[in-house]
Amino acid sequence: MILVVKSGGEQALPDWQACFAEVAPQLRLRWWDDPSVDPASIDYALVWDPEPGRLAQFPRLRAIFGSGAGVDFIAADPLLPRNLPLVRCVPPEATQRMGEHVAWAVLSLAKDARRMALAQSRGDWDYFEAPFAAAARTVGVMGLGAMGLRSVAMLQALGIPVVGWSRTVKAVAGVDTFAGAAGLPAFLARSRVLVCLLPATDETRGIIAAPLLARLPPGAGLVHVGRGVQMVLPDVLAALDSGHLAGAVLDVFDPEPLPADSPAWAHPRITVTPHVGSLPSRLERARYVADCIARFERGDPLPNIYDPERGY
Ligand code: NAP
Ligand code: GLV
């Protein structure tokens, strides 16, 4: 069986091959653009951002695996073979790592870690009281899927009160939940730190913009780990500069990498992270994909399949 890979650049292929050799030695891994691979011999593809139209050129392809939890860069292909399962990569380690990132980001806003990092770079003993105790402020988590729910649980474990928002109504222990456009204003009014863990869809594009930010309590914090297209960066900058937002920890941008001249880099109240909210190791992802292929070969159902109707 041949699995072609386009994730992490061609230089990552030897590492992918070593990981799959450990968990699925029967799979033959080849680089996506390897001219010696007959397109008609390819069974599976593991991709992050395939060029539009390419997946449709593999006539024997049986399933597509995203190398991330969000498969928006794959689903954007107008020629994507819609008859094939497109599987999001959500091993348990991915949600754990996201929960860790969200907890770290919320705590860094509570401690004003950005201020401390700037003071340290100046050699300045800038003694100040932390802006708030994390457990004293409610965190609002937008998106109660695999990533959101694990983040909620990890925040709760730190004693932090949480509210949640999703497209459809959800019941989550210990969390007041809100759903849909009708539930958004009440959810935002409770969110003293807003965490975005939404997938990129037509509905969520540009959602983090002035109208939404205006509904947050004054002095709120923002943690963005969804997708860059969901955020209108000038609106976030304006809310920070007016003081309506106290701080932001931003992991995703449009475009990526964040351009060198972006005002976000040097902003004193923004922490920039380079899209690393949840990056499971290649071995963790290889194990997950190998397990999915084994299930698929047995005829068992696949987990975390992208739904084109919902768009995520
Ligand atoms: P998921 O399991 O599919 O969950 C998506 C959640 O978002 C669900 O709760 C869904 O509501 C909600 N949602 C979708 N559209 C909505 C809308 N229009 N209004 C309100 N809620 C909406 O996805 P996941 O695995 O948690 O991943 C979420 C996203 O996180 C990914 O798509 C990706 O963009 C991002 N991500 C980023 C990183 C990073 O490193 N920065 C890593 C992994 C993932 P329902 O529950 O009603 O369906
Ligand atoms: C990363 O952004 C992912 O979707 O896993």
Side-chain angles (χ1 to χ4, degrees), residues 18-304:
C19 294
F20 275 95
E22 202 174 319
V23 296
Q26 77 284 7
L27 277 177
R28 285 160 58 211
L29 251 75
R30 306 296 289 272
W31 179 243
W32 171 257
D33 278 324
D34 184 339
S36 69
V37 178
D38 174 5
S41 68
I42 295 166
D43 300 280
Y44 299 106
L46 170 60
V47 290
W48 170 250
D49 56 351
E51 298 90 356
R54 284 290 305 283
L55 287 163
Q57 291 170 9
F58 305 148
R60 204 175 82 177
L61 195 65
R62 297 162 62 204
I64 302 161
F65 295 94
S67 65
V71 291
D72 40 306
F73 298 122
I74 306 167
D77 179 351
L79 299 177
L80 184 72
R82 301 277 168 198
N83 56 322
L84 301 181
L86 168 55
V87 183
R88 306 187 309 108
C89 190
V90 195
E93 296 83 356
T95 56
Q96 170 68 21
R97 287 169 188 248
M98 180 57 85
E100 291 170 6
H101 180 92
V102 168
W104 162 80
V106 170
L107 292 177
S108 72
L109 289 169
K111 301 284 181 198
D112 203 346
R114 176 68 173 145
R115 174 168 167 174
M116 288 191 265
L118 288 171
Q120 182 176 351
S121 70
R122 297 191 305 269
D124 177 3
W125 187 265
D126 175 23
Y127 186 77
F128 69 98
E129 261 182 47
F132 60 95
R137 294 209 180 166
T138 298
V139 173
V141 177
M142 303 174 90
L144 297 174
M147 298 292 158
L149 288 176
R150 186 75 186 125
S151 301
V152 165
M154 290 179 72
L155 292 169
Q156 287 178 316
L158 290 167
I160 298 172
V162 185
V163 295
W165 184 68
S166 50
R167 191 177 58 86
T168 57
V169 177
K170 291 265 160 326
V172 183
V175 177
D176 287 345
T177 55
F178 303 81
L184 187 58
F187 162 78
L188 293 171
R190 297 267 304 273
S191 301
R192 299 187 72 192
V193 178
L194 182 69
V195 176
C196 179
L197 272 168
L198 293 168
T201 66
D202 290 344
E203 288 74 40
T204 65
R205 185 179 303 273
I207 190 170
I208 304 174
L212 175 143
L213 297 169
R215 289 191 179 275
L216 293 171
L222 172 67
V223 176
H224 187 30
V225 251
R227 281 288 185 264
V229 292
Q230 293 160 345
M231 176 175 66
V232 180
L233 184 57
D235 290 6
V236 171
L237 292 165
L240 285 163
D241 292 341
S242 74
H244 184 66
L245 274 184
V249 182
L250 308 177
D251 185 54
V252 285
F253 299 89
D254 182 34
E256 290 178 1
L258 181 67
D261 62 354
S262 171
W265 284 115
H267 198 286
R269 286 200 292 280
I270 296 180
T271 297
V272 171
T273 55
H275 199 145
V276 290
S278 168
L279 186 61
S281 70
R282 292 203 177 101
L283 183 59
E284 289 161 5
R285 288 180 283 167
R287 189 172 285 121
Y288 171 88
V289 171
D291 178 58
C292 287
I293 290 176
R295 286 188 198 201
F296 190 67
E297 294 283 335
R298 287 195 303 267
D300 290 342
L302 286 166
N304 300 307

